[in-house]
Amino acid sequence: MSTTRPCSPGDRGPESGGSSGMSAAAADAPPERGQVRTLRLDGESGVVPLARDFARQALYAWGWLPAATADRRAVAEDVLLVVSELVTNACLHAEGPDEMRIACDNKVIRVEVSDRGSGHPSPRTPHRAGRPGGHGMFIVQRLCLDWGVVRRDGVAGKTVWAELGVPA
């Protein structure tokens, strides 16, 4: 379901502190909110594989990879696919991504991709499985518990977020 809520129901709200401007090597982990990592992508080349590698490193650091169970392996693979789709959409439709954040707590893994674009992502309707292209947000919608868009106040741009459930 596409929403424009800043956070999903029951979510803890946006992380405090805003953009950190930190590189991939300098990730942060606020102790009271679970694990959070931020990757600056503005001006980088090869951002899709860069973002996937960054997310994979976070999943290893958090003990998701190597996966202890088939359920965790499936969620880890879904996280990497969602990262690819959100970053690719920012490249194709929004002048490229500025930043990606990935967060994990005991209930959800949240992926956020910020860009300067003015468009609003949405799954193509009707979805045509046999045609190339246009499947990104359909995939995100199918894999995630929820997703949405947060507009930036006073400046162009937005953050597209998606949340995947942590298996019990």
Side-chain angles (χ1 to χ4, degrees):
M1 152 174 37
S2 174
T3 64
T4 54
R5 294 189 309 267
C7 303
S8 64
D11 187 26
R12 64 210 170 280
E15 297 292 335
S16 60
S19 296
S20 66
M22 301 177 92
S23 69
D28 55 70
E32 73 278 1
R33 297 284 180 158
Q35 302 291 323
V36 179
R37 295 193 174 208
T38 303
L39 173 66
R40 296 287 303 161
L41 295 167
D42 188 30
E44 296 288 335
S45 61
V47 293
V48 175
L50 181 65
R52 279 182 65 91
D53 288 346
F54 182 79
R56 185 179 295 108
Q57 290 171 9
L59 292 171
Y60 269 102
W62 299 335
W64 281 80
L65 292 173
T69 66
D71 287 344
R72 281 215 173 199
R73 183 174 31 262
V75 172
E77 290 170 2
D78 290 349
V79 167
L80 296 176
L81 180 54
V82 167
V83 164
S84 294
E85 295 300 337
L86 294 181
V87 173
T88 297
N89 277 355
C91 291
L92 293 174
H93 306 293
E95 303 172 28
D98 293 333
E99 181 178 275
M100 182 187 81
R101 290 172 52 98
I102 183 169
C104 180
D105 64 19
N106 60 353
K107 294 181 182 179
V108 298
I109 295 177
R110 183 176 174 114
V111 177
E112 300 177 357
V113 175
S114 300
D115 62 52
R116 290 180 296 264
S118 60
H120 187 86
S122 63
R124 283 198 182 157
T125 306
H127 179 255
R128 296 181 184 177
R131 304 199 98 179
H135 304 288
M137 293 313 295
F138 180 78
I139 291 169
V140 170
Q141 178 179 326
R142 297 289 294 205
L143 293 178
C144 295
L145 296 171
D146 201 5
W147 69 276
V149 178
V150 178
R151 294 284 171 197
R152 297 182 188 173
D153 291 333
V155 295
K158 64 188 172 301
T159 299
V160 181
W161 59 266
E163 294 181 338
L164 297 96
V166 173

